[in-house]
Amino acid sequence: MATEEKYVCSLPDSVLKKAMSELNEDPNTRLLEIKNLRQRLEKYPGLNGRTDPKFLLRFLRARKFDQELSFKLLLNYYTTRRDDQEVFSDLRPFCVRHVFESGYTTPLGVRDKQGAAIILEKPGKWDYGRFSELDLIKADCITIHKVIEDEITQVNGITLVIDYKGFTLSHLAHTSPSFARRLCRLWQDVFPARLRAVHIVNEPATYGNIFALFKPFLKQKLLDRIFFHGPRHEELLDHIDEQNLPEAYGGKMTDVSDTTWCDVILQYDKQFEEDAKFGLLDMTVSSALDADSESLGGVAQSSLVGTFKKLSVD
């Protein structure tokens, strides 16, 4: 477990006031809240998790400083990373460099009118002949992990702008319900992030079929935050100031290169490797154990130890 560390809040006064009014954050009791959450994690069997203040604050803010809900989110986070090895095994930027080079996901480095960090996603950039749905999810997980390190984003949240230009029936044929389910669960029940809005632009005529894959897995709270704009990019100006909206969508911001985020995120490969030292152990006893065994000696003990798999987490 991480040792207790000092924490210095980096929030400007305006954002701190928002955190206090909307997230129940109290500067006078913040450290106590962190300590309480840390102590609960330290007592959880098989968990070797990060307990530094900056990490734990993500979860407290994501659940408005409700200890029970924050703890549940943390357990969801670690449990998912243990159980879904297809996505979370060796989760590092270099492993999905090809996705980042394609321009599939790009944090724009600017905010909408509510202060939420904007991430631009382009599903039409998915080269399904070169990389899988799992690679897309991995790239999303890495991106979100990095974006929510920023404390202002923890308070103000994230806005997605999803541009479906170039998305074809072939893309749809390669999109599975499993992909939709995984992605929706990560956003709603695993990521310590506040998804404030989703703006869909340039959706094709077949978008009803695409949305039908996701809708069964979306909670009403998130459904109410999805906006469909089609080719009417000017509608985005109701939500995003023109200087923070790329020219391709009617704003005055210089369009961001598809490889911009790739150049940035690859620099943090070592950080993700270090974070992988934390994890939740698989406490399941191997079915190969003899149910009639009266001890854990010899072969039986070896079988038990072999079931304690340490998962890499961030």
Side-chain angles (χ1 to χ4, degrees):
M1 292 292 178
T3 56
E4 189 165 346
E5 301 175 13
K6 293 183 179 180
Y7 167 75
V8 178
C9 183
S10 65
L11 295 175
D13 288 343
S14 60
V15 181
L16 178 57
K17 290 179 180 178
K18 184 174 183 178
M20 294 170 66
S21 63
E22 295 185 10
L23 307 183
N24 303 313
E25 183 164 346
D26 185 344
N28 296 316
T29 60
R30 184 196 288 126
L31 293 179
L32 179 60
E33 296 283 3
I34 293 171
K35 181 179 180 180
N36 289 340
L37 187 56
R38 176 188 294 118
Q39 289 177 340
R40 295 188 68 173
L41 289 176
E42 290 175 340
K43 294 177 182 178
Y44 194 82
L47 178 58
N48 173 35
R50 279 184 61 180
T51 57
D52 55 282
K54 289 185 177 181
F55 181 74
L56 296 183
L57 267 175
R58 303 177 194 179
F59 294 86
L60 287 166
R61 286 169 173 154
R63 290 298 181 265
K64 299 184 177 181
F65 279 78
D66 183 303
Q67 280 285 333
E68 291 299 323
L69 295 180
S70 299
F71 182 61
K72 180 180 179 181
L73 182 61
L74 266 163
L75 292 187
N76 283 348
Y77 173 83
Y78 283 121
T79 302
T80 300
R81 295 183 71 96
R82 180 195 65 194
D83 294 345
D84 196 347
Q85 286 290 287
E86 285 187 312
V87 170
F88 292 102
S89 177
D90 201 18
L91 188 70
R92 298 183 295 113
F94 267 101
C95 291
V96 285
R97 178 173 184 165
H98 47 289
V99 180
F100 293 121
E101 288 176 335
S102 75
Y104 172 77
T105 182
T106 306
L108 296 183
V110 293
R111 302 183 182 279
D112 68 8
K113 292 183 177 181
Q114 303 304 314
I118 302 173
I119 297 177
L120 174 63
E121 298 220 326
K122 299 179 179 179
K125 294 285 187 178
W126 175 26
D127 185 350
Y128 48 79
R130 291 181 54 228
F131 47 91
S132 69
E133 295 177 323
L134 292 174
D135 288 343
L136 302 183
I137 297 176
K138 284 174 179 283
D140 275 337
C141 289
I142 291 168
T143 298
I144 300 307
H145 171 77
K146 197 61 188 172
V147 168
I148 60 176
E149 286 182 348
D150 180 78
E151 289 200 272
I152 296 177
T153 300
Q154 292 169 19
V155 175
N156 289 338
I158 294 171
T159 283
L160 294 180
V161 176
I162 305 180
D163 181 0
Y164 272 91
K165 181 179 180 180
F167 193 90
T168 66
L169 286 175
S170 294
H171 285 99
L172 177 60
H174 285 83
T175 306
S176 69
S178 173
F179 170 79
R181 176 184 56 80
R182 270 174 161 148
L183 206 54
C184 291
R185 183 174 184 275
L186 286 168
W187 272 110
Q188 296 175 121
D189 301 316
V190 177
F191 291 150
R194 307 181 70 208
L195 185 54
R196 307 303 296 161
V198 180
H199 297 282
I200 311 293
V201 298
N202 297 326
E203 60 268 35
T206 57
Y207 186 74
N209 295 323
I210 303 170
F211 190 60
L213 289 173
F214 290 86
K215 189 174 181 179
F217 309 112
L218 292 171
K219 299 175 183 179
Q220 190 60 48
K221 181 179 180 180
L222 186 51
L223 283 170
D224 293 340
R225 295 177 178 180
I226 299 176
F227 304 89
F228 302 96
H229 303 286
R232 303 177 302 278
H233 299 162
E234 65 277 4
E235 294 179 357
L236 291 172
L237 294 173
D238 293 336
H239 308 272
I240 304 171
D241 289 329
E242 60 180 2
Q243 66 266 26
N244 291 339
L245 186 65
E247 293 177 349
Y249 306 105
K252 293 184 177 181
M253 177 183 175
T254 302
D255 290 332
V256 178
S257 167
D258 285 340
T259 60
T260 297
W261 179 237
C262 180
D263 295 337
V264 172
I265 195 62
L266 290 181
Q267 299 176 39
Y268 295 97
D269 200 74
K270 185 66 175 179
Q271 175 188 331
F272 281 85
E273 185 177 347
E274 289 297 315
D275 285 342
K277 295 177 180 179
F278 301 97
L280 180 63
L281 300 178
D282 185 350
M283 305 295 285
T284 304
V285 177
S286 172
S287 58
L289 264 177
D290 184 355
D292 296 327
S293 177
E294 296 180 357
S295 71
L296 294 177
V299 176
Q301 185 177 20
S302 176
S303 298
L304 177 62
V305 172
T307 65
F308 279 63
K309 299 183 299 181
K310 185 174 182 180
L311 170 68
S312 299
V313 301
D314 56 18

